[in-house]
Amino acid sequence: MKNTIEKILKIDRRLIFLALTLLLVFPIVRPLGLPNKNIGNEVKALHDKIEGLPAGSFLMLSLDYDPATRPELHPQAVAVIKHAFRKDLRIMILTLNAGATGLIDEIGERIPKDIAPSKKYGTDYVILPYQPNPVAVMTQLGMDMFQIYDKDRDGADLKSMPVMKGIRNVKDMQLGMCITGTAMLDYWVAYTADKFKMPFAGGTTAVSQIGYAPYLQTGQLKGLMGGMKGAADYELLIGEKEKGTAGLDALSLAHIMVIALIVVANIMMLWLKYL
Amino acid sequence: MTLIKKHIPLAICFIVGLLTLSSYYVPTQSSEKYVETMNKWENIVAGFAFLLGLFSLFFSHTRKITRRVDGWGYSLFVFVGFLAMVVPAIVSNGKQMIGADLTGLGWGYRFLFNALSGTMFSVLAFYIVSTAYRAFRIKSAQAGVLFAAALVLMLAKVPLGQMIWEGLFGWTGAWDIAQIGQWLMDVPAVAGKRGIMMGLAIGGIVTALKIIFGIERQYMGKD
Amino acid sequence: MLNIRIIPVVFAVLFAASAVSAATPASPKNVPVKPDLSGFEAKDMPYDKGEAVLLSWPAGPADVPGAVWQVYAASGKDWVKADEFPADKKLAADIELPFWAWDRHAKLHVVQLDMPGLFNDFKIGTEYRFKVKYVNGKETAESPELPAAPKPNLFNLARLNNLLLLIVTTIVFFWTVSHAKRKGGLFIRRIAGLDAIDEAVGRATEMGRPIFYSTGIGSMSAVPTIASTSILSEVAKKVAAHDTQLKVPHFDPIVMTVSKEIVKQAYAESNRSDSYRDDINFFVSQDQFSFAASVDGMIHREKPAACFFIGHFMAESLLLAEVGATTGAIQIAGTEQESQLPFFFTSCDYTLIGEELYAAGAYLSKEPMLQSTLKVQDFGKAFVMLSIVAGSALLLAGTWFKMDTLVTVVKHLFKAY
């Protein structure tokens, strides 16, 4: 018995990988439809913040994530854009991460198709090109953004676009938001939100979410979405279930598997030690 | 020689450090222009440094291929991957989409880079699970507390976990897993995070002072 | 003949009639109160870069619900309406400046006008004219026109608390550096991760396998990367002395350039310049997961005896550490990202937490100057702890005893403006 338990404790990790694969593939093939009941307070705060903005308000959305964190962060971006368009907000999408350009192109493709077909590029929203040196961009956005962004990603003049009417810097914008898998949100808070007193919110990966709780408590961030669960919560709040909600089943099973493995491993360890 | 290799770099470091520090307290346009100029210079230096890095990469892998060292085949892929993305980028002038059509670069980004990056990130999930099984042993009271907190948080974050909790403790009507999870996130976790943040911030300030005043000189190389 | 008893009745009726029909005097509430515009001032907004103007005028009983203030500005002949707000809003207390730079209790309306937002051809130093208008239904009042020119200010007084703290920290810094060479040296508690460097290098030498050192994915301006290069210097010296193979893959080309100099110097100091090779430091990729995949592949193939992961790491931390663990390498890690520390804890033999990373340079080199600067960190931490305790106690006392001034002072002292 002891030998068996020792063998199980030293099981080949590839078998664990296989078990996890099967557990993750199953809900994708056959969705469980688990209900998402509890919505995080910070997600609710973000939703309420956007909900409270009057029509015509300006939202600056910085999508600073790359394809690696796409499954967690892309649904967040899509949900926020849908909500913002529903509230008739003007949206400016930019990125400080070179890897995000393709993902933004995908969003740009989807807006006229299914996200908000009635919204017009240049009048209701604009997409800016990638800019290196994030700190320089953040600082300049607080002073005169047209010094650094004079054209949109297609090379059209930015200042003359109707969507940019009355906007010169972040002080003219009603809300800023950064969705990122890196520490970029820290920089946005330090160099833009705090420095220029701009209301700011964020979207991060689940593992980074806890790091931003101090900012939520001090009011430096008005709301925060964390990981796929945050995206699913937001989709529930706006009543449009998408990839965020779809991934919750797999997420649930993976979590339960981790808990089960830890419990089983420790029971076996105790068994070996005391019996 | 000491003047060029030691004193001038130290002087530049000192002057630029002080100017950047003082720009925080002096709210004039000159201050702003100075910060903008420094940012632009940093961009330029980063661009040239990237070229430097690229040459280093090519040189290192070319040497591996010419000397046929172990694993030299993998070095070929460096060049294949580089050309596969750069040539279409040059052809399409850096655009990923022309109208509604994907360019070569766009295709490579969407079907190669997307897939490969997503794969690397998702490998984390497997590693986390196997590490949890291999390494998470409750050998002390502190580890037990850690596991209890982790258990509550993991259950609170997913619908299945919430359902399990309600099934086990829902009859008490008192403990809502989401509230307990939220409290764990808002209070003990944030307290620990704040403590580490403060220590790091102070360490960062001291390191910056050391560099500005020339006490830390490792980056300059040989004295 | 008139009945004489009716006369008092007539008088009583007449008296009553006169009382009823007497005109009621005007109530004080219905008389419109004129606003006091004699104290209207227009001046440069203090502590800014010269793009704003501050207008102020006394608040008073005219600030009733329904009334509004309108603010106008002009550069030439035409007036532009800059702002309009209810008469009871925009007071001195609404300006977010600390008590040492602004009197929040002044009974004034205060409006800060951002001039570039109003005039496209704005230039710093140009004089503009300003006036305010009070409107309460049909009742209006207008202030005299006053000129003002926004000018840049040399010092942001609001940041005085920050500057004083910086000055005190710098003084403590210089004091500790000047007292660096003390008898017996400075006590630094044992940091297991740093003590294990000798063990790691020794193991690599015995096994004849390389050592991998990663400085993370931070740029050269990131403090953890700077700390990592300090540790790299010490590791490189030991590696040079033992003639072991060292490989340092890089995420950032600038970090690679700096690390090359550091390693070269380390080899020179160990009198092993002949063993130094330029390709010890090499660039891999500036994409996070491409870097992780490449380094993982190298670790998997070359099976190093020791891996060092010290610097700024994000999601790739577990990818690197886990692959290193499967090859049986001794692993020493350190990062400032507390979200990645759990991954390093489970996969690595030794982990440096938070500012142990920043103390590493002093700990390893044992240079008195570097060691003494650790005292400054201790001072900083002591100050923070004292501030938390004292600040919390003062705020509590101020709230309990309803001492608003104390609460305001404490809040302003510890706020960053």
Side-chain angles (χ1 to χ4, degrees):
Chain A
M1 187 64 180
K2 208 173 172 183
N3 282 339
T4 313
I5 291 174
E6 275 171 1
K7 272 187 192 166
I8 295 171
L9 271 177
K10 287 177 189 166
I11 197 171
D12 191 339
R13 58 218 291 267
R14 287 171 293 188
L15 290 172
I16 300 174
F17 294 167
L18 183 62
L20 180 65
T21 308
L22 292 171
L23 212 58
L24 291 175
V25 165
F26 174 71
I28 294 169
V29 168
R30 201 189 156 93
L32 301 170
L34 295 168
N36 183 18
K37 286 187 194 170
N38 288 311
I39 295 172
N41 295 343
E42 56 283 342
V43 180
K44 186 102 187 17
L46 171 61
H47 175 268
D48 292 346
K49 179 70 188 169
I50 294 181
E51 190 68 22
L53 291 173
S57 298
F58 198 93
L59 168 67
M60 180 191 77
L61 188 56
S62 183
L63 303 181
D64 302 318
Y65 57 93
D66 55 18
T69 42
R70 181 214 168 104
E72 281 190 283
L73 301 178
H74 207 60
Q76 292 181 6
V78 171
V80 164
I81 290 171
K82 279 185 181 175
H83 189 200
F85 277 138
R86 197 189 297 170
K87 293 293 300 174
D88 292 324
L89 305 185
R90 293 178 286 164
I91 304 179
M92 177 175 82
I93 299 175
L94 60 108
T95 182
L96 304 174
N97 183 327
T101 48
L103 298 167
I104 292 174
D105 280 344
E106 280 183 44
I107 289 177
E109 265 181 61
R110 277 190 67 183
I111 292 175
K113 277 188 194 159
D114 62 296
I115 291 179
S118 61
K119 296 298 176 185
K120 202 168 160 236
Y121 184 87
T123 308
D124 302 301
Y125 68 102
V126 66
I127 300 176
L128 302 183
Y130 159 71
Q131 282 284 354
N133 201 341
V135 172
V137 172
M138 290 170 194
T139 314
Q140 198 60 43
L141 280 169
M143 299 188 294
D144 182 355
M145 66 168 282
F146 299 110
Q147 291 290 321
I148 207 157
Y149 288 112
D150 55 343
K151 294 189 187 334
D152 76 343
R153 65 166 177 174
D154 297 320
D157 181 54
L158 189 61
K159 213 168 182 175
S160 58
M161 286 187 180
V163 67
M164 300 305 298
K165 190 180 172 189
I167 305 293
R168 186 173 150 255
N169 54 41
V170 296
K171 293 173 205 164
D172 303 320
M173 302 176 191
Q174 280 66 52
L175 182 67
M177 188 167 175
C178 170
I179 298 180
T180 182
T182 64
M184 197 70 79
L185 187 54
D186 286 297
Y187 288 93
W188 276 112
V189 170
Y191 290 100
T192 308
D194 268 0
K195 198 171 171 185
F196 302 107
K197 307 280 182 278
M198 180 193 196
F200 216 83
T204 64
T205 51
V207 75
S208 306
Q209 184 185 359
I210 185 59
Y212 295 104
Y215 294 129
L216 282 167
Q217 290 183 5
T218 52
Q220 287 162 296
L221 283 178
K222 304 301 174 199
L224 185 72
M225 282 187 288
M228 198 180 278
K229 176 72 167 61
D233 288 351
Y234 207 89
E235 286 169 4
L236 187 65
L237 285 168
I238 62 170
E240 290 203 38
K241 292 182 184 179
E242 249 212 51
K243 292 268 165 60
T245 311
L248 270 192
D249 290 346
L251 200 65
S252 294
L253 291 176
H255 277 223
I256 300 305
M257 180 178 173
V258 170
I259 294 169
L261 283 175
I262 295 174
V263 169
V264 162
N266 280 285
I267 289 173
M268 286 194 288
M269 182 193 76
L270 287 170
W271 191 316
L272 280 178
K273 198 173 171 183
Y274 294 113
L275 294 176
Chain B
M1 206 60 189
T2 317
L3 183 71
I4 293 170
K5 288 204 89 174
K6 185 179 170 185
H7 296 303
I8 291 179
L10 278 177
I12 292 172
C13 188
F14 178 70
I15 292 167
V16 171
L18 278 189
L19 280 175
T20 311
L21 207 53
S22 59
S23 69
Y24 183 71
Y25 302 102
V26 178
T28 59
Q29 272 220 327
S30 322
S31 215
E32 244 176 49
K33 283 207 169 79
Y34 164 78
V35 171
E36 274 171 40
T37 308
M38 286 295 117
N39 286 328
K40 280 181 191 162
W41 287 4
E42 201 185 322
N43 256 352
I44 295 166
V45 169
F48 277 104
F50 181 75
L51 270 177
L52 205 68
L54 208 57
F55 288 140
S56 156
L57 181 74
F58 287 158
F59 185 68
S60 145
H61 285 281
T62 308
R63 196 197 274 188
K64 281 185 183 169
I65 293 169
T66 51
R67 290 184 182 177
R68 298 285 195 273
V69 300
D70 279 343
W72 67 271
Y74 296 110
S75 294
L76 278 174
F77 275 99
V78 170
F79 295 97
V80 168
F82 177 77
L83 291 169
M85 293 301 276
V86 167
V87 168
I90 293 170
V91 165
S92 64
N93 208 17
K95 288 194 189 322
Q96 293 197 24
M97 299 201 63
I98 293 176
D101 297 322
L102 278 174
T103 60
L105 175 66
W107 191 94
Y109 179 92
R110 203 171 280 199
F111 299 110
L112 291 176
F113 187 57
N114 257 351
L116 291 169
S117 294
T119 306
M120 282 306 298
F121 195 63
S122 51
V123 169
L124 269 178
F126 295 92
Y127 281 164
I128 285 172
V129 173
S130 80
T131 304
Y133 181 71
R134 182 174 55 83
F136 205 142
R137 298 283 185 264
I138 303 171
K139 289 181 180 170
S140 64
Q142 291 99 319
V145 170
L146 179 63
F147 174 66
L151 178 70
V152 166
L153 272 173
M154 279 194 280
L155 290 177
K157 284 292 175 186
V158 291
L160 188 58
Q162 291 159 12
M163 286 165 67
I164 291 172
W165 183 272
E166 273 172 30
L168 290 172
F169 300 109
W171 56 270
T172 61
W175 293 348
D176 178 12
I177 183 81
Q179 284 174 343
I180 301 172
Q182 193 68 47
W183 180 87
L184 279 170
M185 296 271 279
D186 287 345
V187 183
V190 170
K193 159 83 182 175
R194 277 214 179 100
I196 294 177
M197 262 168 94
M198 285 179 203
L200 288 170
I202 293 163
I205 291 168
V206 174
T207 307
L209 286 174
K210 279 194 281 186
I211 291 172
I212 289 174
F213 294 117
I215 291 169
E216 182 84 53
R217 292 198 291 260
Q218 297 285 1
Y219 60 91
M220 285 203 308
K222 196 175 167 143
D223 278 346
Chain C
M1 185 129 151
L2 207 60
N3 191 341
I4 198 138
R5 277 184 240 162
I6 209 166
I7 296 170
V9 173
V10 169
F11 271 113
V13 168
L14 282 171
F15 181 75
S18 70
V20 164
S21 62
T24 47
S27 159
K29 283 188 226 175
N30 292 343
V31 172
V33 179
K34 283 208 175 291
D36 175 16
L37 289 164
S38 59
F40 175 62
E41 281 183 1
K43 54 188 176 187
D44 168 50
M45 177 71 197
Y47 330 127
D48 76 333
K49 63 176 181 180
E51 289 186 350
V53 160
L54 194 74
L55 307 179
S56 62
W57 62 97
D63 298 332
V64 295
V68 295
W69 285 102
Q70 295 171 344
V71 178
Y72 293 88
S75 65
K77 284 184 188 171
D78 301 320
W79 287 95
V80 169
K81 192 198 239 182
D83 201 356
E84 181 172 325
F85 55 91
D88 56 347
K89 301 284 179 212
K90 298 222 171 176
L91 301 169
D94 297 329
I95 297 285
E96 279 190 36
L97 284 171
F99 66 89
W100 60 84
W102 181 256
D103 179 10
R104 301 177 77 250
H105 298 296
K107 287 192 182 2
L108 294 171
H109 284 292
V110 175
V111 172
Q112 182 181 340
L113 290 181
D114 180 39
M115 301 310 293
L118 290 174
F119 300 103
N120 288 335
D121 57 351
F122 167 78
K123 273 187 193 145
I124 289 177
T126 309
E127 201 171 77
Y128 296 86
R129 290 172 292 121
F130 302 91
K131 65 180 180 184
V132 293
K133 196 172 171 185
Y134 172 84
V135 177
N136 182 8
K138 288 184 186 168
E139 183 74 29
T140 61
E142 199 168 294
S143 71
E145 291 173 20
L146 286 180
K151 286 174 208 155
N153 305 103
L154 279 179
F155 179 61
N156 186 349
L157 189 61
R159 291 178 177 167
L160 183 65
N161 56 342
N162 194 300
L163 180 64
L164 287 174
L165 185 59
L166 176 68
I167 290 170
V168 168
T169 308
T170 311
I171 290 170
V172 172
F173 178 85
F174 281 118
W175 183 84
T176 56
V177 163
S178 67
H179 286 73
K181 291 192 174 122
R182 62 185 83 225
K183 281 185 195 168
L186 187 71
F187 168 74
I188 304 176
R189 67 163 172 86
R190 219 181 128 257
I191 300 175
L194 297 174
D195 288 339
I197 290 175
D198 281 326
E199 182 194 338
V201 174
R203 189 168 184 261
T205 312
E206 279 169 20
M207 294 170 83
R209 300 219 301 246
I211 292 172
F212 268 71
Y213 189 106
S214 175
T215 53
I217 62 168
S219 64
M220 202 58 221
S221 54
V223 183
T225 311
I226 297 169
S228 179
T229 53
S230 303
I231 302 173
L232 173 62
S233 172
E234 298 304 318
V235 170
K237 280 182 200 162
K238 294 184 200 306
V239 162
H242 287 78
D243 206 20
T244 318
Q245 206 185 356
L246 176 66
K247 291 188 177 211
V248 189
H250 285 283
F251 176 87
D252 189 292
I254 297 177
V255 177
M256 178 194 76
T257 315
V258 173
S259 299
K260 274 188 175 172
E261 283 300 315
I262 287 172
V263 172
K264 197 173 178 181
Q265 185 190 352
Y267 271 72
E269 283 179 18
S270 302
N271 295 319
R272 298 306 298 249
S273 300
D274 51 323
S275 300
Y276 171 77
R277 289 184 343 269
D278 216 36
D279 62 359
I280 288 173
N281 290 272
F282 54 96
F283 172 69
V284 174
S285 170
Q286 267 189 311
D287 177 71
Q288 187 182 10
F289 290 101
S290 308
F291 173 77
S294 177
V295 176
D296 277 349
M298 282 186 259
I299 290 174
H300 193 71
R301 285 191 295 276
E302 300 186 40
K303 296 194 175 13
C307 293
F308 292 83
F309 303 118
I310 300 180
H312 175 71
F313 288 89
M314 296 294 281
E316 74 289 345
S317 59
L318 185 63
L319 288 172
L320 296 170
E322 190 65 13
V323 168
T326 56
T327 63
I330 183 171
Q331 301 199 106
I332 299 170
T335 181
E336 91 292 7
Q337 287 291 314
E338 61 291 320
S339 57
Q340 307 308 316
L341 283 173
F343 301 134
F344 278 144
F345 274 127
T346 48
S347 308
C348 298
D349 300 286
Y350 301 94
T351 308
L352 302 173
I353 308 170
E355 43 217 289
E356 286 178 350
L357 196 60
Y358 300 147
Y363 186 93
L364 291 169
S365 65
K366 296 190 175 26
E367 258 190 56
M369 290 270 258
L370 289 178
Q371 283 188 339
S372 67
T373 56
L374 290 180
K375 274 280 184 217
V376 188
Q377 281 181 244
D378 288 343
F379 160 78
K381 275 182 269 190
F383 175 78
V384 167
M385 283 190 274
L386 191 67
S387 303
I388 289 171
V389 171
S392 305
L394 287 171
L395 277 177
L396 210 56
T399 315
W400 269 346
F401 299 115
K402 291 190 179 25
M403 292 155 66
D404 291 338
T405 310
L406 178 62
V407 171
T408 305
V409 164
V410 172
K411 276 186 182 174
H412 286 190
L413 273 176
F414 292 110
K415 190 175 171 181
Y417 287 95

